[in-house]
Amino acid sequence: MNAVLAFLIFVGVGTIAVIHALWGLGSSWPEANHEALARGVVGDGRKRMPPPWQCFAVAALLALVALWPWYVLGRASEPAVLTGTFAIAGAFVARGWAGYSPRWRRHFNDEPFARRDKRYYSPYSLLLGVSYLALLAGEMER
């Protein structure tokens, strides 16, 4: 069961990594143009997406985070695995929780980002954070 959860996390985070890499390559998917993309995925009033190097940096970090569940399997009691997993889970939970805070909502209020963040991005971040913790807990039971 832990391998299935590791695979699901890998696919879920890996897909986000691929999307960020596509944005770094100049794609405006899933929007019609880059201005609409910035409004839909950044939401802070900007008319342009961040520069490609930033998209690639996020993609690389997410790719490492996507691979992490495979590293966790069979190593849950190692201090580095515990620390790394708690850090990753904490980052996702913090991102998810932030999406519901008044301060975040005031800063990232462009539509359609604000609606998507509340409906999709923040809950998905919370789900990923809990999933990393569930994987760790499942491995520690073994």
Side-chain angles (χ1 to χ4, degrees), residues 29-62:
W29 183 88
E31 303 292 348
N33 57 55
H34 290 285
E35 184 176 337
L37 182 64
R39 280 194 321 272
V41 301
V42 181
D44 65 356
R46 69 182 67 200
K47 303 277 190 235
R48 311 175 63 125
M49 283 294 287
W53 72 267
Q54 288 180 359
C55 295
F56 289 129
V58 171
L61 181 61
L62 286 168

Side-chain angles (χ1 to χ4, degrees), residues 9-136:
I9 295 170
F10 169 74
V11 170
V13 178
T15 300
I16 300 169
V18 169
I19 292 169
H20 279 78
L22 288 172
W23 293 338
L25 292 171
S27 173
S28 64
W29 183 88
E31 303 292 348
N33 57 55
H34 290 285
E35 184 176 337
L37 182 64
R39 280 194 321 272
V41 301
V42 181
D44 65 356
R46 69 182 67 200
K47 303 277 190 235
R48 311 175 63 125
M49 283 294 287
W53 72 267
Q54 288 180 359
C55 295
F56 289 129
V58 171
L61 181 61
L62 286 168
L64 290 173
V65 169
L67 291 169
W68 187 259
W70 299 116
Y71 185 70
V72 170
L73 295 178
R75 296 182 182 92
S77 62
E78 295 177 13
V81 171
L82 288 169
T83 302
T85 305
F86 282 128
I88 291 167
F92 278 118
V93 168
R95 166 56 185 94
W97 189 320
Y100 297 106
S101 73
R103 185 174 183 183
W104 179 277
R105 308 292 299 153
R106 280 191 303 273
H107 184 71
F108 297 100
N109 59 8
D110 272 7
E111 290 296 347
F113 176 84
R115 183 180 71 259
R116 290 178 183 170
D117 187 39
K118 195 171 190 177
R119 189 176 296 163
Y120 304 114
Y121 307 153
S122 290
Y124 191 59
S125 293
L126 289 168
L127 175 66
L128 288 171
V130 170
S131 297
Y132 277 92
L133 293 175
L135 177 64
L136 184 63

